[in-house]
Amino acid sequence: MVKDFDFPVNAYIGGKWHKTAKTFSIKSPYSGEVVAEVADSGIAEAQAAADAAVEAFKSWKKLTAFERAKVLRKWNDLLIAHQEELGRLTALEMGKPITEAKGEVLYAASFVEWSAEEGLRVNGEIMQSRFPNKRQMAVYEPVGPVYAVTPWNFPTSMITRKAAPALAAGCTIILKPAEQTPLCALYMAKLWEEAGGPAGTLQVLPALDPVPVSKVLMEDMRIRKITFTGSTAVGKILYAQSAATMKRISLELGGNAPFLIFEDADIEKAVHFTMLSKYRNAGQTCVTTNRIYVHKSLESDYADALADAVSKLEVGDPLNASTNVGPLVEQQGLDKVVSHVEDAVSKGAKVRVGGKSLGGLIYAPTVLTGIQPGMRVLEEETFGPVAPIMPFEDEAQAIAWANSTDYGLAAYVWTRDLSRAFRVAEALEYGIVGVNDPVPSAMGSNLPFGGYKNSGLGREGGHWGIEEYLETKFISFQLP
Ligand code: NAD
């Protein structure tokens, strides 16, 4: 049943809530019910948003960083005050268990808090000059109006990870949220409006089909940056499209994270680690452990202990506070998980626990052993609650297997040997390495997040995150 929301489910353009000719349905992945009919933006809305972003940029960039920080701080406070509502919307529109979803809202707010502060530290530099009569300096300026495209799996934090540093730097931003999760985006825009965010600084274009909206904004020379989080396939399309107007680009793309468990590992801790890294958000995180390589001496004990822990996970309604694993976001995601497990089993893998759909879009948390090279669970991002375990002989083999992928977002290591910890962390070709740390990026608004190779370009978080929204201008003064 379509719910009554206390915010407009329209496009948010130039500070106005705009009704569109068409709408599209948002369904709860758990109950299958339609929960909202949301404005469906197209070419006209994208053009109007581009004009408004360009207009708003003129005055937003001229505010002092201190004035912009004031609005951001209010937005941060409002996001935290509405943690419960945003958590519920997340659970409703994409199925993340509510306890986890509320945690994500705090993570989302932390980018706003950090960016409000970091914006105040965007200072320039005065350089030494080779000429006695010259004074030479580098100043930073906002890159311009930004187009942001975000995924469904973190419907609040993927927005603030982009919008907060962009706005703090003095850019304006047009957001196209994932078609599965426009509700969180619109709610956050309402809070931006309440915080005093001027018209046109943050705009939201929900759309069922991303292509027409994207085409307008990607072809518009006035939009100076594209920032994208999502699949590698779409990231490459946007990368190619950005060349025509030479936009600055940031890409946070897919992963295929390995977890290496060495022979000196504490099995109980390694299992606890796996539970945190693998089954959060039903395995639908870009940094989720996708492949587990365990030293052959521990394989059997580790697999037994992991299967036991996984069998105790509570699976079901994401709106229930005790649920650990909810549904997958949509049928396509479930089909991929099913096909990965079927492929592994047909090639000799054993199902230790799970290995089946439980009705609707729920897939049972699963542990697989007997994994062999050539199985899809090793080579592709499964994006589901499936842990494939494969034994290795020695450190060199473990590192080689971990690096044998075109992706390079996150990798994990468990060892008690300090030399090995450094050796392996340095050998892994990944943007993020968790050594005995299953959640290295937890509350990491001050830390660099991003990947090597097909996992993307640029970093979000910390000073790296705000630099993505700044141009460097060199000014030279020649004295008479
Ligand atoms: P997706 O690429 O299908 O969709 C992401 C966004 O791109 C959505 O808003 C969608 O509407 C839009 N989109 C799709 N086709 C487009 C096109 N042709 N032009 C413009 N926009 C288009 O990805 P998804 O399935 O929603 O998200 C899951 C993927 O995101 C996984 O691969 C995951 O690893 C990755 N991800 C990466 C990070 C990171 O920080 N590296 C974080 C979260 C998710």
Side-chain angles (χ1 to χ4, degrees):
M1 193 190 82
V2 175
K3 299 200 182 312
D4 279 333
F5 294 105
D6 62 350
F7 60 97
V9 287
N10 301 335
Y12 185 56
I13 303 172
K16 301 233 158 56
W17 296 92
H18 176 82
K19 273 201 174 27
T20 50
K22 283 189 297 176
T23 60
F24 66 104
S25 308
I26 303 303
K27 275 189 189 166
S28 149
Y30 179 67
S31 67
E33 270 184 317
V34 172
V35 294
E37 287 292 338
V38 174
D40 192 5
S41 314
I43 292 172
E45 287 75 22
Q47 283 166 342
D51 292 345
V54 170
E55 193 53 36
F57 180 60
K58 292 178 192 160
S59 42
W60 184 246
K61 73 172 175 189
K62 287 209 180 112
L63 293 185
T64 66
F66 292 87
E67 288 167 315
R68 290 194 292 264
K70 247 191 221 167
V71 187
L72 282 159
R73 277 197 297 267
K74 269 200 201 146
W75 196 30
N76 171 57
D77 294 345
L78 286 168
L79 290 167
I80 292 172
H82 294 274
Q83 181 191 14
E84 182 69 34
E85 292 91 324
L86 281 164
R88 288 189 76 77
L89 284 178
T90 303
L92 198 65
E93 64 181 344
M94 60 71 67
K96 183 175 294 189
I98 187 153
T99 307
E100 217 182 297
K102 281 161 59 180
E104 188 201 332
V105 177
L106 296 184
Y107 176 56
S110 77
F111 284 95
V112 183
E113 181 194 41
W114 170 267
S115 301
E117 295 300 322
E118 193 61 11
L120 305 181
R121 292 187 282 267
V122 176
N123 300 311
E125 283 177 57
I126 297 180
M127 287 80 73
Q128 295 292 337
S129 174
R130 290 181 184 273
F131 306 94
N133 62 337
K134 287 194 183 189
R135 303 291 178 269
Q136 300 184 305
M137 62 184 71
V139 296
Y140 298 114
E141 295 183 346
V143 75
V146 174
Y147 174 42
V149 180
T150 52
W152 49 265
N153 64 343
F154 285 88
T156 58
S157 56
M158 293 305 100
I159 291 175
T160 55
R161 218 162 71 168
K162 299 178 185 315
L167 291 161
C171 298
T172 53
I173 186 160
I174 302 169
L175 169 69
K176 197 218 67 64
E179 50 277 24
Q180 298 87 346
T181 55
L183 297 176
C184 284
L186 294 169
Y187 196 89
M188 291 165 77
K190 185 193 89 150
L191 298 181
W192 175 250
E193 187 180 43
E194 255 178 71
T201 47
L202 170 75
Q203 305 180 80
V204 181
L205 300 177
L208 180 59
D209 179 357
V211 175
V213 165
S214 261
K215 189 170 182 311
V216 170
L217 298 170
M218 290 305 289
E219 288 177 357
D220 193 325
M221 189 66 195
R222 301 170 303 165
I223 306 297
R224 295 312 313 138
K225 176 165 174 108
I226 162 77
T227 172
F228 171 75
T229 297
S231 62
T232 297
V234 174
K236 288 186 177 181
I237 293 174
L238 294 172
Y239 196 5
Q241 289 175 353
S242 65
T245 52
M246 202 57 79
K247 293 192 201 316
R248 285 274 294 274
I249 182 151
S250 302
L251 300 172
E252 295 285 351
L253 309 177
N256 182 4
F259 175 21
L260 313 184
I261 304 171
F262 286 96
E263 57 269 37
D264 58 357
D266 173 324
I267 289 191
E268 202 182 310
K269 291 206 169 98
V271 166
H272 179 62
F273 184 129
T274 316
M275 301 303 287
L276 286 172
S277 154
K278 176 70 253 180
Y279 297 97
R280 262 187 314 133
N281 203 17
Q284 303 169 109
T285 77
C286 51
V287 292
T288 192
T289 289
N290 199 53
R291 313 168 273 155
I292 300 170
Y293 298 116
V294 54
H295 188 265
K296 60 183 182 184
S297 63
L298 296 187
E299 190 206 3
S300 150
D301 290 350
Y302 168 76
D304 288 347
L306 183 63
D308 183 48
V310 168
S311 67
K312 293 180 182 138
L313 285 170
E314 200 175 307
V315 178
D317 186 348
L319 284 165
N320 195 335
S322 61
T323 295
N324 302 119
V325 177
L328 294 164
V329 73
E330 59 194 2
Q331 190 63 40
Q332 210 185 330
L334 178 66
D335 293 346
K336 187 176 186 193
V337 175
V338 169
S339 69
H340 276 202
V341 174
E342 278 175 6
D343 169 75
V345 169
S346 74
K347 292 173 181 159
K350 285 206 167 56
V351 175
R352 296 298 305 267
V353 63
K356 55 180 187 291
S357 297
L358 298 178
L361 293 175
I362 296 194
Y363 196 82
T366 297
V367 176
L368 300 175
T369 52
I371 298 299
Q372 301 288 333
M375 292 181 177
R376 291 180 67 197
V377 277
L378 290 182
E379 289 170 2
E380 297 170 35
E381 193 182 31
T382 303
F383 237 51
V386 177
I389 303 174
M390 185 163 163
F392 66 80
E393 293 282 333
D394 57 23
E395 188 179 305
Q397 186 178 56
I399 292 170
W401 282 351
N403 285 339
S404 65
T405 169
D406 290 338
Y407 294 91
L409 187 56
Y412 305 95
V413 182
W414 225 107
T415 180
R416 284 186 278 198
D417 176 337
L418 191 58
S419 308
R420 168 177 280 150
F422 272 97
R423 232 176 16 243
V424 176
E426 287 168 9
L428 288 168
E429 295 159 3
Y430 287 82
I432 302 166
V433 178
V435 179
N436 304 344
D437 183 356
V439 281
S441 302
M443 291 305 281
S445 53
N446 56 328
L447 310 170
F449 191 106
Y452 289 15
K453 304 195 272 188
N454 270 347
S455 292
L457 289 176
R459 293 292 178 272
E460 292 187 323
H463 65 82
W464 304 270
I466 204 159
E467 282 158 15
E468 302 278 344
Y469 297 94
L470 296 170
E471 279 286 12
T472 307
K473 180 178 279 175
F474 163 56
I475 306 176
S476 184
F477 292 86
Q478 185 162 289
L479 307 179

